[in-house]
Amino acid sequence: MKALEQGSSLARLLETIVCESLPTVVDVTVALGILYWKFDIYVSITLLVACSSFLALEVFTSRWKVELRRQSARAERREARVMHQAIQGWATVSYFNMFHFERKRFGKTVDTKLVAHQRWSIRDTSIQGAIELMIPLTFTILAGMVIYNISQGRSKPGGFVFFIQYWDSLIWPVKWLSHDYRQIMSDLIDAERLLALLQQKATVVDCEEPHDIRDVEGHVAFEDVCFAYDNRKTTICGLGFSAQPGQTIALVGATGAGKSTATKLLLRFYDVTEGKISIDNHDIRDITLDSLRNLIGVVPQDPLLFNGTILENLRYAKPSATFAETIEACQATSIHDKILTFPDGYKTHVGEQGVKLSGGEVQRLAVARVILKDAPILVLDEATSAIDTHTESSIQRALDAFKNRRKRTTFVIAHRLSTIVSADQILVFDEGKIVERGTHKNLIARDGVYSGLWSKQSRA
């Protein structure tokens, strides 16, 4: 975020070049012509040498302060990062009563930034002072040459008066050229991080000739899929299963077994390293990202609400949704009556990341949002983990009705096994592999990993 903010220096860079540097070059060119016309070529060449000396000194000395400017920019980004983390994580700071720690940590970043900026400023001011000393030296040399021309009869005495009056207009373009170079270098250093970000290539992009996919039936297949976040450790290996249109596929297993990773691969947040994933026999790598993600509705494990109204957050999934459609979706998730109890109803502001709502309310809004999207493929990642049992059963009935309305293919990630008893197929993950698969009854009868998980939860 701070890198983007510092990227405003690119706008200043263009403004400096177009509005200041180019007109200054024109001014210097005109001044050289006037001195040549009024006096002689030697006076004109002396001014040209002075301009070159100013720029040469600026270029040479800039090496001494580039690293200091870079350190100042980095310190400013670190300060912003610490500040944003403390503000966004204010609840955690409160839980552990770490206000003093955060204040001290932020204070250190401020001090570091001030020291870095001070070191750069001292170096920059010293260089600027050296350049300013060249101005009277240039004036003395040019004035001496003008007086010499007058003494030799090549110029009139009024020429010296003209030189004195023209001096300010003569030296300002020279000073501005060195100043502009200094400003351009500073802006480039400030924008380095943004320029690096702009040069980064996305790891997931459309192929050379992608095609849109619409009106899908919902047949999803994973064929010998392998994937690793880090090449040193495989996350998923040999993953293979298929979901027929309208089926519900449940993914269960211990935390870190690869369940959420599988759904991320379906959404192409990452590309598979081996194998392929297809929808209606179309490899998802051949489908445009835009059309692929329009096909899939997701309720993530930690749903995020933007700092706007409840209505704005619900319509984020479908901006064209009518108010009646929005109410219907909220009624299906048992959140409509709760919203009406708020003073501003659907115009209630939820705060940053939905901080003004409870976890269960945020989840129910997330489910309502995905119902409003009306996608043919659903991904429910612990969609009801923060909801009480009574509300969960009503939402489950609403989701069942929603899925049956147009035979939606549904992937459910759940640790609470009671929510996936009726799934058409249950996949048990362990260390990136499917170790068991089948219906609830079949897996219980097998007396394996799933049966052990079910027994533990039943006893609890």
Side-chain angles (χ1 to χ4, degrees):
M1 288 167 61
K2 191 62 180 179
L4 292 174
E5 182 182 321
Q6 289 178 330
S8 61
S9 56
L10 289 178
R12 292 198 304 270
L13 175 64
L14 292 174
E15 184 180 353
T16 300
I17 293 174
V18 176
C19 299
E20 296 179 10
S21 298
L22 293 180
T24 302
V25 171
V26 174
D27 285 344
V28 171
T29 305
V30 171
L32 292 172
I34 290 177
L35 291 180
Y36 173 72
W37 168 70
K38 194 70 177 176
F39 303 105
D40 58 25
I41 192 172
Y42 298 108
V43 177
S44 182
I45 290 176
T46 301
L47 178 63
L48 182 60
V49 171
C51 291
S52 302
S53 300
F54 271 72
L55 287 175
L57 181 61
E58 193 68 64
V59 172
F60 180 75
T61 56
S62 65
R63 302 174 186 174
W64 301 348
K65 58 181 181 179
V66 165
E67 185 57 33
L68 293 178
R69 181 69 181 186
R70 188 174 287 123
Q71 290 175 6
S72 177
R74 289 173 184 165
E76 194 173 346
R77 288 197 294 270
R78 281 196 295 269
E79 177 195 35
R81 182 168 64 250
V82 171
M83 178 181 65
H84 287 149
Q85 287 178 345
I87 292 174
Q88 290 176 343
W90 69 271
T92 303
V93 176
S94 300
Y95 295 152
F96 293 95
N97 194 27
M98 296 295 284
F99 290 103
H100 178 72
F101 172 79
E102 291 296 337
R103 188 159 46 241
K104 186 177 180 180
R105 184 167 68 156
F106 181 63
K108 286 182 178 179
T109 62
V110 172
D111 291 340
T112 303
K113 186 196 77 169
L114 291 176
V115 169
H117 185 73
Q118 183 185 43
R119 291 172 60 193
W120 172 81
S121 297
I122 292 173
R123 186 73 59 87
D124 184 65
T125 303
S126 301
I127 294 171
Q128 189 175 355
I131 292 173
E132 290 289 337
L133 287 175
M134 293 181 64
I135 295 175
L137 179 62
T138 304
F139 174 80
T140 302
I141 294 173
L142 287 175
M145 295 182 70
V146 170
I147 293 172
Y148 178 76
N149 279 333
I150 293 172
S151 66
Q152 295 298 314
R154 291 197 293 265
S155 299
K156 296 179 181 180
F160 186 76
V161 177
F162 167 79
F163 172 74
I164 296 298
Q165 291 180 334
Y166 190 54
W167 171 249
D168 283 341
S169 301
L170 196 67
I171 197 61
W172 269 109
V174 180
K175 290 177 62 177
W176 270 111
L177 278 178
S178 62
H179 173 271
D180 288 348
Y181 179 81
R182 190 184 315 131
Q183 185 65 44
I184 288 171
M185 290 301 296
S186 297
D187 288 340
L188 281 174
I189 293 169
D190 288 346
E192 274 183 337
R193 178 61 179 154
L194 176 61
L195 291 172
L197 290 174
L198 292 175
Q199 291 174 356
Q200 288 287 334
K201 294 183 179 179
T203 55
V204 177
V205 295
D206 288 331
C207 63
E208 292 184 0
E209 295 183 1
H211 61 272
D212 290 339
I213 181 171
R214 296 184 178 86
D215 302 323
V216 301
E217 294 182 6
H219 180 269
V220 179
F222 282 64
E223 302 176 25
D224 294 324
V225 170
C226 294
F227 172 74
Y229 292 104
D230 190 320
N231 293 330
R232 293 171 296 182
K233 183 180 179 181
T234 301
T235 305
I236 284 179
C237 184
L239 189 64
F241 65 89
S242 64
Q244 300 300 319
Q247 281 191 336
T248 297
I249 308 297
L251 285 64
V252 302
T255 301
K259 306 183 297 297
S260 295
T261 299
T263 60
K264 290 176 182 177
L265 293 174
L266 176 62
L267 285 156
R268 279 200 76 196
F269 286 170
Y270 306 92
D271 272 334
V272 299
T273 51
E274 294 182 25
K276 76 171 186 177
I277 302 173
S278 62
I279 296 178
D280 288 358
N281 296 320
H282 296 277
D283 191 325
I284 62 173
R285 289 171 292 192
D286 298 330
I287 305 171
T288 60
L289 284 170
D290 187 58
S291 63
L292 171 66
R293 291 172 184 171
N294 280 335
L295 295 175
I296 305 173
V298 182
V299 181
Q301 191 170 1
D302 297 309
L304 173 71
L305 298 183
F306 295 101
N307 191 3
T309 65
I310 291 175
L311 187 60
E312 289 170 346
N313 275 282
L314 289 168
R315 283 180 173 166
Y316 194 78
K318 185 180 178 183
S320 61
T322 64
F323 189 57
E325 290 174 333
T326 306
I327 291 177
E328 184 181 354
C330 290
Q331 287 175 333
T333 57
S334 303
I335 190 66
H336 173 69
D337 292 337
K338 181 65 176 179
I339 293 173
L340 294 182
T341 63
F342 300 149
D344 296 319
Y346 280 84
K347 294 184 178 180
T348 300
H349 282 265
V350 300
E352 188 172 356
Q353 299 182 358
V355 69
K356 295 182 180 180
L357 303 178
S358 69
E361 290 166 349
V362 170
Q363 276 199 333
R364 279 183 281 174
L365 286 176
V367 175
R369 185 165 58 183
V370 82
I371 289 176
L372 201 59
K373 183 176 181 179
D374 197 22
I377 299 174
L378 293 180
V379 175
L380 308 176
D381 190 351
E382 291 290 332
T384 57
S385 60
I387 298 173
D388 62 87
T389 306
H390 175 72
T391 305
E392 180 189 36
S393 61
S394 64
I395 292 177
Q396 201 65 48
R397 287 194 298 271
L399 284 172
D400 290 339
F402 177 63
K403 288 183 287 186
N404 295 332
R405 195 186 305 168
R406 53 177 286 186
K407 288 189 175 182
R408 287 174 175 80
T409 305
T410 306
F411 295 90
V412 182
I413 298 175
H415 287 289
R416 196 185 298 174
L417 301 183
S418 59
T419 61
I420 48 95
V421 170
S422 60
D424 298 290
Q425 186 177 186
I426 299 173
L427 307 177
V428 183
F429 280 68
D430 184 36
E431 295 185 354
K433 298 179 181 179
I434 298 176
V435 294
E436 290 181 357
R437 68 179 72 202
T439 62
H440 173 73
K441 290 183 179 180
N442 291 338
L443 292 175
I444 291 295
R446 189 176 299 176
D447 196 24
V449 177
Y450 180 82
S451 178
L453 294 173
W454 177 261
S455 298
K456 289 179 182 179
Q457 290 195 15
S458 298
R459 286 197 299 270

